[in-house]
Amino acid sequence: MSIILLLLYICTYIISINAGNVSTSELSALAALYASTDGDNWRYYPDDGTQWDFINNTNPCIDHWEGITCDSDCSFTSTSPCTITKIVLDEYRLEGTLPEELGLLTSLTTMNMYGNRLHGSVPIAINSMVELTSVDLGLNVLQGSLPPLPTNLIFLYVGYNRFGGEFPTTLGTLTKLQELQIAGNLLTGTLPTIIGNLKALTKMEIHKNNMNGTLPAELGELTVLNHLECDFNSYIGTLPDTLSQLTALTLLKCGNNGFSGSFPEVLLALTNLQKLQMGHTNLTGVLPSDMGLLNQLQLLDLSINMFTGSIPMSLYTITHLTVLDISHTSVNGTIASEIGHLL
């Protein structure tokens, strides 16, 4: 459908607007999204609603357009226009760019378009979508830098795109953010100290980028963090001592980096850890004798390091351990079956 023809249909639709219809601005935003992402070739899921239709004056809310959720008061008897609160178009084969008109959806709380063929940059207008709490644009081909984002965001998933440049310092304003997934991009530079502002974070995935330098001490301020993945970067130095404050951590993956020194004894304070992966770094020396302090461990990967000495006897006390990988190190001795429940 040509853009001109689509606009003609929209004008007809707007003229016929009545109670229960969406506002003209929100309809314009939907139309712009449809036109800029090759809406005629989207993949629909019949059980999830009806196809978007700008020709027959159907109503996005009343007629349940796929991927659209509206406010709970929306009905034919509504005395005011319906409000669109969610757009979820994961794996719909959207191909194209995100239009600036998305900023007209000022009541939107959720915008998910995971696993499509979106390219270009994220529009600056997203910052005006002040009610947004969840954004998932992962697994697309988006690029450039992330613009400033609405400060009510709780979930942000933009992994596996082509975002570049340094880690966006504007993310430091998202003090309500609980989950951040920005892995699998082309980010460079260091992890900035403003990361310490995100004190509500429970999950952070920044792995598979091109980031470098040392991890900042401010990481220790994320005291409710239970999931941290920073592997497959180029971090160097040692882990900051402040990591001992992350006692809620159950998963820590920071392998495949350039860390140096001995096994980070700061990790022995993280007694809730269930999975610890520090493989393929440059760690040296003997393993600490009190590694049994990590008595909740189920998986321990210290492979491809330069450790020496023998397996600490305290590992035998970790009854939940099912995976122990110390391959490609110089640790001697045989891994006995008495260690945990090794597979």
Side-chain angles (χ1 to χ4, degrees):
M1 180 186 298
S2 71
I3 294 178
I4 294 176
L5 186 58
L6 178 59
L7 291 174
L8 287 174
Y9 286 131
I10 294 169
C11 290
T12 302
Y13 185 97
I14 291 173
I15 291 171
S16 66
I17 196 167
N18 51 42
N21 281 114
V22 298
S23 68
T24 56
S25 60
E26 291 193 342
L27 180 64
S28 297
L30 295 184
L33 176 63
Y34 187 92
S36 66
T37 59
D38 193 22
D40 286 347
N41 290 305
W42 288 1
R43 177 173 61 188
Y44 287 97
Y45 299 86
D47 294 335
D48 293 341
T50 61
Q51 296 187 16
W52 291 29
D53 185 357
F54 296 96
I55 299 176
N56 297 307
N57 290 348
T58 62
N59 185 304
C61 295
I62 306 300
D63 295 307
H64 305 292
W65 285 12
E66 281 195 43
I68 299 293
T69 300
C70 300
D71 59 284
S72 57
D73 296 329
C74 178
S75 69
F76 278 117
T77 59
S78 300
T79 57
S80 59
C82 295
T83 300
I84 297 171
T85 58
K86 296 181 181 180
I87 295 180
V88 179
L89 296 171
D90 296 336
E91 299 181 334
Y92 266 69
R93 293 181 183 165
L94 278 66
E95 184 165 3
T97 59
L98 295 172
E100 289 287 343
E101 287 86 350
L102 286 175
L104 298 172
L105 299 170
T106 54
S107 297
L108 206 67
T109 63
T110 299
M111 184 173 72
N112 292 356
M113 300 179 196
Y114 169 89
N116 286 291
R117 301 165 186 169
L118 299 172
H119 56 83
S121 59
V122 176
I124 295 175
I126 194 174
N127 195 37
S128 63
M129 302 166 73
V130 294
E131 299 298 325
L132 271 180
T133 59
S134 178
V135 171
D136 188 350
L137 298 174
L139 203 60
N140 281 285
V141 201
L142 296 166
Q143 59 191 36
S145 300
L146 282 175
L149 299 169
T151 56
N152 281 321
L153 272 181
I154 297 175
F155 306 104
L156 176 61
Y157 309 110
V158 290
Y160 299 95
N161 280 283
R162 297 186 64 80
F163 292 115
E166 297 191 348
F167 188 92
T169 56
T170 53
L171 294 183
T173 63
L174 307 183
T175 56
K176 298 180 182 179
L177 199 64
Q178 295 178 15
E179 295 190 8
L180 170 63
Q181 212 277 28
I182 198 168
N185 281 288
L186 303 173
L187 298 179
T188 59
T190 60
L191 185 65
T193 58
I194 54 89
I195 200 69
N197 295 348
L198 307 185
K199 293 179 173 57
L201 269 186
T202 61
K203 183 176 184 179
M204 181 165 69
E205 297 182 1
I206 55 175
H207 54 287
K208 295 183 179 178
N209 278 287
N210 298 319
M211 300 179 69
N212 54 44
T214 57
L215 292 175
E218 286 76 7
L219 266 179
E221 298 178 25
L222 310 182
T223 55
V224 296
L225 195 68
N226 60 51
H227 183 120
L228 173 59
E229 297 186 46
C230 63
D231 46 324
F232 291 96
N233 279 288
S234 298
Y235 293 119
I236 59 172
T238 59
L239 298 181
D241 290 342
T242 54
L243 247 60
S244 63
Q245 299 166 200
L246 305 186
T247 54
L249 272 182
T250 60
L251 181 147
L252 176 62
K253 296 175 65 176
C254 284
N256 292 85
N257 277 292
F259 295 120
S260 58
S262 58
F263 179 89
E265 297 211 15
V266 64
L267 299 180
L268 298 179
L270 308 182
T271 55
N272 285 310
L273 274 179
Q274 297 175 12
K275 295 182 180 180
L276 173 58
Q277 293 180 277
M278 291 292 294
H280 208 164
T281 59
N282 296 315
L283 299 179
T284 61
V286 298
L287 297 177
S289 61
D290 50 356
M291 288 197 69
L293 292 172
L294 302 177
N295 57 15
Q296 300 301 309
L297 275 183
Q298 299 171 18
L299 181 150
L300 176 60
D301 179 5
L302 301 175
S303 61
I304 318 179
N305 278 292
M306 294 181 282
F307 293 123
T308 57
S310 57
I311 299 172
M313 292 299 296
S314 62
L315 279 180
Y316 286 82
T317 67
I318 304 178
T319 58
H320 302 287
L321 196 63
T322 58
V323 177
L324 172 61
D325 190 351
I326 52 173
S327 62
H328 303 285
T329 70
S330 296
V331 175
N332 56 53
T334 302
I335 298 178
S337 59
E338 290 85 355
I339 298 180
H341 295 86
L342 296 182
L343 299 177

